[in-house]
Amino acid sequence: MDQQGRHAVSPGLRRASEYAWRLLILGVAVYVVFRLALRFELVFVALFIALILSSLLRPPVNTLGRHMPRALALVTTAVGALAVLAGVAWLVEYSVAEQSSDLGDEFRGGINQIKQWLEGPPFHVKASTLSDLQSKIGTYISQHRSSLLSQAINEASRVVDVVTVLALAVFCSVFFTHSGVQIWRWFLRQVPEQVRDLWDRCGQTAWHTFAGYTRGIIMVAAANAVMVGVSLKLLQVPLVLPLTLLEFLASFVPLVGSPIAMAVATIVALASRGVTTAVVVLVLIVVFGQIEGHVLQPFVMGWAVRLHPVAVAVCVIAGTIVAGLLGAVVAVPLVSIAWAVTKVLRGRADPSDGDPGPGPGNIEGIPPGRSPEPSTGEA
């Protein structure tokens, strides 16, 4: 009877069931890892930021390290990066302070223009309707002032978490940049020798993908910011520098971040420069979206992240549903790393990948695919 039952199941169904329980086990493992990441969210975010900083600092540190001690090269690069960030922050503050006196009048005039536009064709909204809406908004704010203030205080309390995460990220990035090879060697020594070479190749591939994605997304964000900044400047929209910086930061969320930042610029343009300028900015949202999706992303990111735009969109949406803004930011690089490592494990890594780049195993001359010799000191 048992033999007949075995023959009654088709080979295809048996093979599908075998894949099903394996996928189920993998799904449970991924879920456990995800729950642990949420439990230690601040640590995960700090390490993610540290890896980003390390991928950006390593090229200049490696270049300067050929002419000076590596520690001095790291300090020089870090001071230069902090100087650039401080300069950008000062310029943003100066831009807002310089235009703050005129922004109030421009926004009040822009709001009056919007009301007149809504009252005219084709909308024909009654003035009493707009007045009632304005009064309802004021009444809601006055009635819920205490809850809104309490929520603002609760959000302000997260400043401590943000400072802690940034401090841990900077601390880890210093060691990742200065002693990344020693840390990787120490880790490989904890792995059984028979699989050490495979772990080494997977680590190199993962780092190459992550570093390539980080530098690529920064290039895409910078290109978007330049296009937006020049366009807003030509259209004489106020707060050009803050809006440009917002566009740069929003571009780290692929496909959807840039349109959201441009929507904010549209609101500013509508309130300060009128309907015509706002319509032009709306058109620019479509144009810049096409440039990013069909030119910048394939050209800049294609060599590092080999994912179809549909896969990118699905990753961003799924990451947003699961973990909000953080999930939207980390979804694409994590999926890209997983796909690249999967190809290595299956033994069919793309030969066009070429040099694995500044990965953990070959930053300082360790050949790809060869496990580094144990060093005398611990990481």
Side-chain angles (χ1 to χ4, degrees):
M1 186 66 180
D2 182 62
Q3 190 73 15
Q4 293 178 354
R6 290 182 58 187
H7 287 294
V9 179
S10 65
L13 181 58
R14 187 181 301 113
R15 188 178 300 110
S17 62
E18 292 173 353
Y19 276 108
W21 70 260
R22 288 182 174 90
L23 290 175
L24 182 61
I25 293 177
L26 288 176
V28 172
V30 171
Y31 177 77
V32 171
V33 172
F34 173 74
R35 297 301 301 179
L36 287 175
L38 288 183
R39 183 66 180 85
F40 301 96
E41 179 182 2
L42 296 182
V43 177
F44 176 79
V45 173
L47 292 177
F48 184 79
I49 296 176
L51 291 174
I52 291 177
L53 295 176
S54 180
S55 66
L56 297 177
L57 292 176
R58 268 181 170 170
V61 168
N62 290 340
T63 301
L64 294 176
R66 301 188 184 101
H67 310 286
M68 61 179 69
R70 189 170 181 85
L72 181 59
L74 175 60
V75 171
T76 303
T77 304
V79 171
L82 290 176
V84 171
L85 293 177
V88 172
W90 180 82
L91 286 175
V92 171
E93 182 182 1
Y94 176 78
S95 174
V96 173
E98 185 183 29
Q99 301 182 36
S100 60
S101 58
D102 299 330
L103 282 178
D105 296 336
E106 290 184 355
F107 271 81
R108 281 190 290 271
I111 292 174
N112 292 331
Q113 290 182 8
I114 294 172
K115 292 174 64 176
Q116 295 175 2
W117 175 53
L118 292 175
E119 292 173 1
F123 300 101
H124 297 289
V125 179
K126 295 181 180 180
S128 59
T129 303
L130 297 175
S131 300
D132 292 341
L133 177 62
Q134 185 176 359
S135 63
K136 288 180 180 179
I137 293 175
T139 302
Y140 177 84
I141 293 176
S142 62
Q143 291 178 350
H144 298 79
R145 183 175 301 172
S146 59
S147 61
L148 293 175
L149 181 61
S150 176
Q151 184 178 358
I153 293 175
N154 291 334
E155 292 296 328
S157 64
R158 293 185 63 87
V159 173
V160 178
D161 295 338
V162 173
V163 173
T164 303
V165 167
L166 291 178
L168 179 60
V170 172
F171 178 80
C172 293
S173 65
V174 170
F175 286 95
F176 290 165
T177 304
H178 181 266
S179 308
V181 173
Q182 287 76 15
I183 295 174
W184 182 244
R185 286 173 173 172
W186 174 86
F187 174 79
L188 286 179
R189 290 200 301 273
Q190 316 310 312
V191 177
E193 187 174 358
Q194 59 269 23
V195 295
R196 191 171 295 171
D197 179 73
L198 179 62
W199 275 87
D200 188 27
R201 286 189 288 116
C202 289
Q204 292 183 35
T205 302
W207 175 254
H208 170 68
T209 304
F210 181 83
Y213 175 84
T214 301
R215 296 162 191 165
I217 197 65
I218 287 179
M219 293 174 63
V220 172
N224 285 336
V226 169
M227 292 189 298
V228 169
V230 172
S231 302
L232 296 180
K233 186 66 175 179
L234 294 176
L235 294 172
Q236 298 181 348
V237 176
L239 299 177
V240 173
L241 190 57
L243 291 175
T244 302
L245 181 61
L246 176 63
E247 170 67 25
F248 176 80
L249 297 176
S251 295
F252 283 87
V253 181
L255 301 181
V256 298
S258 179
I260 293 176
M262 288 295 291
V264 175
T266 303
I267 296 174
V268 175
L270 181 63
S272 60
R273 303 299 299 173
V275 177
T276 304
T277 304
V279 171
V280 174
V281 176
L282 281 175
V283 174
L284 291 177
I285 293 178
V286 179
V287 174
F288 293 161
Q290 295 298 314
I291 294 176
E292 178 185 1
H294 295 88
V295 179
L296 295 178
Q297 289 282 354
F299 180 74
V300 178
M301 303 289 290
W303 57 275
V305 181
R306 290 170 171 81
L307 292 179
H308 193 276
V310 174
V312 173
V314 171
C315 291
V316 172
I317 295 174
T320 304
I321 295 174
V322 172
L325 179 60
L326 175 62
V329 174
V330 306
V332 176
L334 290 182
V335 173
S336 302
I337 291 172
W339 176 241
V341 172
T342 300
K343 291 195 297 182
V344 173
L345 294 175
R346 296 176 64 180
R348 60 178 187 87
D350 191 350
S352 63
D353 289 348
D355 182 14
N362 71 339
I363 293 176
E364 296 179 357
I366 301 174
R370 179 182 301 173
S371 301
E373 295 296 330
S375 58
T376 56
E378 297 293 329

